[in-house]
């Protein structure tokens, strides 16, 4: 199982794209408030998110509530400020949690310090700010599935569908 955690997401399109990744991979989506958008049934229908029903979405009032309910086993934090590349991480355990920060500020410094050995980045050329949040989440989700040897299972489920 892969859990994708978004800390105070601000841009609805990013969260929608990440939710689509979750729908396609069977990952769970955790949203930590405040959210920069509405996820009520009415708002989701208006946005045309026809895959939303395929995603298990869990919402938390704050980061403390998230950790209280989920702990931090197999937690990996993604940050442009991380020391380690995602290619160095062992994401093969049965349950992996990938945590992403808000689009404008990333994850809080205290989290990056507390989990410094669990912070990962995507390699990028010098001078580039960062990839889009939803692209980063998709890359890490599929890398995790690859390391867990679960990609072929997804392919077999969708083979032959147009």
């Amino acid at each position: 199982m892969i859990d994708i955690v978004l800390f105070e997401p601000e841009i609805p399109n990013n969260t929608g794209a990440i939710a689509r990744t979750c729908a396609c991979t069977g990952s769970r989506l955790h949203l930590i408030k405040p959210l920069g958008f509405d996820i009520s049934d009415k708002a989701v229908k208006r946005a045309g998110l026809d895959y939303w029903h395929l995603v298990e979405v869990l919402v938390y009032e704050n980061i403390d509530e998230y950790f209280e309910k989920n702990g931090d086993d197999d937690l990996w934090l993604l940050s442009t400020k991380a020391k380690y590349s995602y290619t160095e991480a062992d994401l093969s355990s049965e349950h992996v949690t990938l945590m992403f920060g808000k689009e404008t500020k990333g994850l809080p410094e205290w989290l990056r310090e507390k989990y410094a050995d669990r912070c990962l980045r995507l390699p990028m050329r010098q001078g580039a700010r960062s990839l889009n949040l939803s692209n980063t989440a998709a890359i890490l989700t599929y890398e995790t599935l690859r390391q867990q040897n679960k990609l072929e299972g997804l392919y077999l489920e969708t083979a032959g569908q147009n």
Side-chain angles (χ1 to χ4, degrees):
M1 169 62 71
I2 299 173
D3 285 300
I4 297 177
V5 181
L6 302 182
F7 174 79
E8 299 182 2
E10 301 166 309
I11 301 173
N13 294 356
N14 282 335
T15 300
I18 292 167
R20 184 179 290 257
T21 297
C22 290
C24 291
T25 61
S27 302
R28 286 189 296 204
L29 180 60
H30 302 257
L31 303 175
I32 300 172
K33 291 182 178 181
L35 308 180
F37 45 85
D38 181 8
I39 60 166
S40 67
D41 286 341
K42 184 178 177 182
V44 168
K45 286 178 186 171
R46 186 172 51 245
L49 303 179
D50 59 351
Y51 51 84
W52 196 257
H53 69 283
L54 296 173
V55 184
E56 183 179 351
V57 180
L58 301 139
V59 181
Y60 306 90
E61 291 300 316
N62 53 51
I63 191 87
D64 294 330
E65 180 186 2
Y66 169 80
F67 281 120
E68 181 181 303
K69 290 184 176 178
N70 299 284
D72 63 0
D73 291 342
D74 292 313
L75 173 67
W76 296 92
L77 288 71
L78 283 294
S79 172
T80 58
K81 299 168 180 70
K83 178 179 174 182
Y84 304 106
S85 169
Y86 79 97
T87 59
E88 300 174 70
D90 179 359
L91 304 170
S92 64
S93 66
E94 186 63 29
H95 188 115
V96 170
T97 299
L98 304 170
M99 182 179 283
F100 301 86
K102 62 171 82 178
E103 290 91 340
T104 57
K105 296 179 182 176
L107 291 166
E109 186 175 355
W110 70 267
L111 263 178
R112 294 191 322 267
E113 288 175 358
K114 181 175 181 178
Y115 298 101
D117 62 333
R118 294 281 192 157
C119 285
L120 305 174
R121 64 176 165 71
L122 288 172
M124 292 178 276
R125 67 188 297 184
Q126 197 72 1
R129 187 169 51 101
S130 66
L131 282 174
N132 177 280
L133 180 65
S134 61
N135 292 336
T136 303
I139 290 168
L140 265 294
T141 300
Y142 276 89
E143 173 61 14
T144 302
L145 288 168
R146 185 190 70 78
Q147 288 191 28
Q148 293 174 336
N149 293 314
K150 292 184 179 175
L151 284 176
E152 190 169 318
L154 290 178
Y155 175 75
L156 292 175
E157 290 176 18
T158 59
Q161 294 180 8
N162 294 329

